Amino acid sequence: MSAVPEGPPLPGARASAAVAFCPAPPLLHPDVEVRPDDATAALRAACAAAVGDLLAVAPDVVVVVGPGAEPGMRLGRGDAGSFRGFGVDVEVPFDGRARPGGRRVPVPHTLGAWLLDQAGFAGARVGVAPEDLVQLVRDLPAPVGILAMGDGSARRSVKAPGYLDEAAEPFDAAVARALRTGDAGALRDLDPAEGERLAAAGVPVWRAVGAALAGRSLAARLHSDCAPFGVGYLVASWVAA
């Protein structure tokens, strides 16, 4: 794991966007975790720090983007997700109170909503698929917040869900380098086929964020780079001028 003590410096002018990059393992939610683990606690703390950096720019709207949503879908008020599929009877409203007939929210977006709740964010939220992020960022007023939920490779060790692939660690390291240096172009240009082969669920999300912010001046901070369960978990924050 790597961490940097100071947060990203704000641009001289008012920020146009801010991003928190967080992984989306169900065990990020304490009720899903079978038993407390130091690695998971550290991961939660890193995510809290990244979301804090995101909210520090006072975004009017936070867009939660992650795998699992259908292109064109807009998750919002009244929708809710749950962790019942993981043996825990916990429901998390996405924005406001859940309503009968509301859409079911994918796990990455559910975790994103939970992270925003933990941070005390009471503003507007919208959940989207990676394919819809670029246009939505263009359409929303600045500053826009982006909570990008996605894991690195699930092939980092022999005990990983996808078993070990020697290419997994270098792949995640390249993503970590892009996150640490604020290299939006490098994220945009990630190889989707290699990401799929390495079971890196975050690749479509990272590519979308990179495309949305390419060419902007970015202050970046890498909060965490770890793989405690054979899956790459990367946490970072960006602030765009």
Side-chain angles (χ1 to χ4, degrees):
M1 179 181 294
S2 63
V4 181
E6 67 276 359
L10 292 176
R14 190 183 186 210
S16 64
V19 189
F21 297 88
C22 296
L27 54 74
L28 192 64
H29 194 288
D31 289 342
V32 178
E33 192 176 18
V34 175
R35 62 179 62 88
D37 185 280
D38 289 345
T40 312
L43 189 63
R44 288 192 197 102
C47 289
V51 172
D53 288 345
L54 161 63
L55 298 182
V57 306
D60 295 326
V61 181
V62 172
V63 180
V64 183
V65 57
E70 294 294 327
M73 177 183 289
R74 294 290 186 274
L75 299 167
R77 294 192 69 82
D79 299 333
S82 80
F83 297 103
R84 294 187 184 96
F86 304 95
V88 178
D89 190 14
V90 173
E91 184 175 79
V92 179
F94 183 77
D95 186 1
R97 301 176 108 185
R99 68 170 186 269
R103 286 164 294 191
R104 303 312 298 171
V105 178
V107 169
H109 299 77
T110 300
L111 287 166
W114 176 75
L115 287 171
L116 292 172
D117 290 342
Q118 294 297 110
F121 178 69
R125 308 171 187 183
V126 58
V128 298
E131 293 87 343
D132 297 319
L133 181 66
V134 172
Q135 188 60 51
L136 190 57
V137 169
R138 289 173 181 161
D139 293 343
L140 289 172
V144 60
I146 303 169
L147 180 47
M149 305 295 297
D151 298 346
S153 176
R155 305 189 69 179
R156 291 282 297 270
S157 75
V158 294
K159 294 184 178 180
Y163 197 69
L164 174 66
D165 189 305
E166 297 294 344
E169 185 171 354
F171 184 88
D172 283 353
V175 177
R177 184 165 55 252
L179 293 176
R180 185 180 64 251
T181 60
D183 191 341
L187 287 192
R188 178 197 59 204
D189 296 338
L190 287 171
D191 184 346
E194 184 68 353
E196 184 174 0
R197 189 184 74 79
L198 294 173
V203 168
V205 176
W206 299 330
R207 282 171 48 84
V209 174
L213 299 185
R216 301 197 197 190
S217 175
L218 293 165
R221 176 185 177 190
L222 181 67
H223 295 263
S224 179
D225 173 8
C226 59
F229 310 111
V231 181
Y233 297 143
L234 298 160
V235 184
S237 50
W238 284 0
V239 176

